[in-house]
Amino acid sequence: MQQDGLILELQKGNQRAFERIYELYSESVYGIIYNILNDEKIAEEILQDVFLKIWNNASSYNSDKGRFFTWILNIARNASIDHIRSKSHKNKQKNLKADNFVDILESRSNFSGKADAIGINKYINILKPVCKKLIDLLFFQGYTQKETAEELEMPLGTVKTKNRACISKLREMLAE
């Protein structure tokens, strides 16, 4: 079956045409996805999603707008980028395994040890508990202000205001 005929059959919902297209393009599409994501397992999942989109949206392909392979690659690239932008991917990037930090990983609750390591423990202990928690999240655990607001269940504006106040108080104490 010629490629144009194969595409027409796919657009009509012919499963054999879909199987043939999968055989022809899956390896190349997988390579593109893997190059973007660098994760075999996720690349395989995205590959399945891509071919599901091809099956569901075959009627939207228009040969006047470009080649079929280019259309497929755009679907694959967009699906890969969508995955990278997804919340689950970002959370996975944040939640690295402890094996990566064998010598430096400490308990999340060991705030005083972290503060003492840079010599400001005695000043931080004087601060209010909310300031201690804000400084720990923002400066020692690397949270963004938005993530800190979510963690502490506070409005973002309140986190920003309290952070400025806490840092100002800390600066005053260090200046003395």
Side-chain angles (χ1 to χ4, degrees), residues 29-84:
V29 173
Y30 175 82
I32 296 297
I33 295 168
Y34 181 78
N35 284 340
I36 294 171
L37 300 175
N38 292 321
D39 186 317
E40 287 181 29
K41 202 176 205 182
I42 294 173
E44 289 171 6
E45 288 177 27
I46 300 298
L47 179 68
Q48 297 306 312
D49 290 344
V50 166
F51 276 92
L52 186 61
K53 287 177 184 178
I54 291 168
W55 175 256
N56 290 331
N57 300 315
S59 61
S60 70
Y61 168 69
N62 182 346
S63 61
D64 294 336
K65 293 184 179 179
R67 292 183 6 204
F68 186 68
F69 185 66
T70 304
W71 181 73
I72 290 175
L73 288 183
N74 281 329
I75 293 171
R77 186 179 68 76
N78 291 342
S80 300
I81 291 169
D82 288 347
H83 177 77
I84 289 172

Side-chain angles (χ1 to χ4, degrees), residues 132-143:
K132 289 180 187 179
K133 189 66 178 167
L134 280 170
I135 290 171
D136 181 38
L137 292 173
L138 291 168
F139 298 98
F140 293 107
Q141 293 187 34
Y143 281 49

Side-chain angles (χ1 to χ4, degrees), residues 3-128:
Q3 185 174 347
D4 291 339
L6 192 61
I7 295 166
L8 287 173
E9 287 299 310
L10 173 68
Q11 290 175 325
K12 291 177 186 175
N14 183 324
Q15 287 184 344
R16 291 207 189 279
F18 177 73
E19 289 170 9
R20 182 67 182 133
I21 285 177
Y22 186 86
E23 290 171 8
L24 290 172
Y25 296 108
S26 63
E27 193 173 319
S28 298
V29 173
Y30 175 82
I32 296 297
I33 295 168
Y34 181 78
N35 284 340
I36 294 171
L37 300 175
N38 292 321
D39 186 317
E40 287 181 29
K41 202 176 205 182
I42 294 173
E44 289 171 6
E45 288 177 27
I46 300 298
L47 179 68
Q48 297 306 312
D49 290 344
V50 166
F51 276 92
L52 186 61
K53 287 177 184 178
I54 291 168
W55 175 256
N56 290 331
N57 300 315
S59 61
S60 70
Y61 168 69
N62 182 346
S63 61
D64 294 336
K65 293 184 179 179
R67 292 183 6 204
F68 186 68
F69 185 66
T70 304
W71 181 73
I72 290 175
L73 288 183
N74 281 329
I75 293 171
R77 186 179 68 76
N78 291 342
S80 300
I81 291 169
D82 288 347
H83 177 77
I84 289 172
R85 291 178 180 162
S86 73
K87 195 168 193 169
S88 64
H89 178 75
K90 289 179 181 175
N91 285 338
K92 183 181 174 195
Q93 295 300 99
K94 287 180 187 174
N95 298 327
L96 297 174
K97 292 181 180 166
D99 299 344
N100 296 332
F101 304 99
V102 173
D103 295 327
I104 60 170
L105 185 67
E106 293 181 48
S107 163
R108 290 197 93 142
S109 62
N110 191 1
F111 170 65
S112 63
K114 295 173 190 171
D116 196 38
I118 60 172
I120 62 168
N121 192 34
K122 64 183 178 182
Y123 300 106
I124 291 177
N125 283 332
I126 299 169
L127 295 174
K128 295 177 183 174

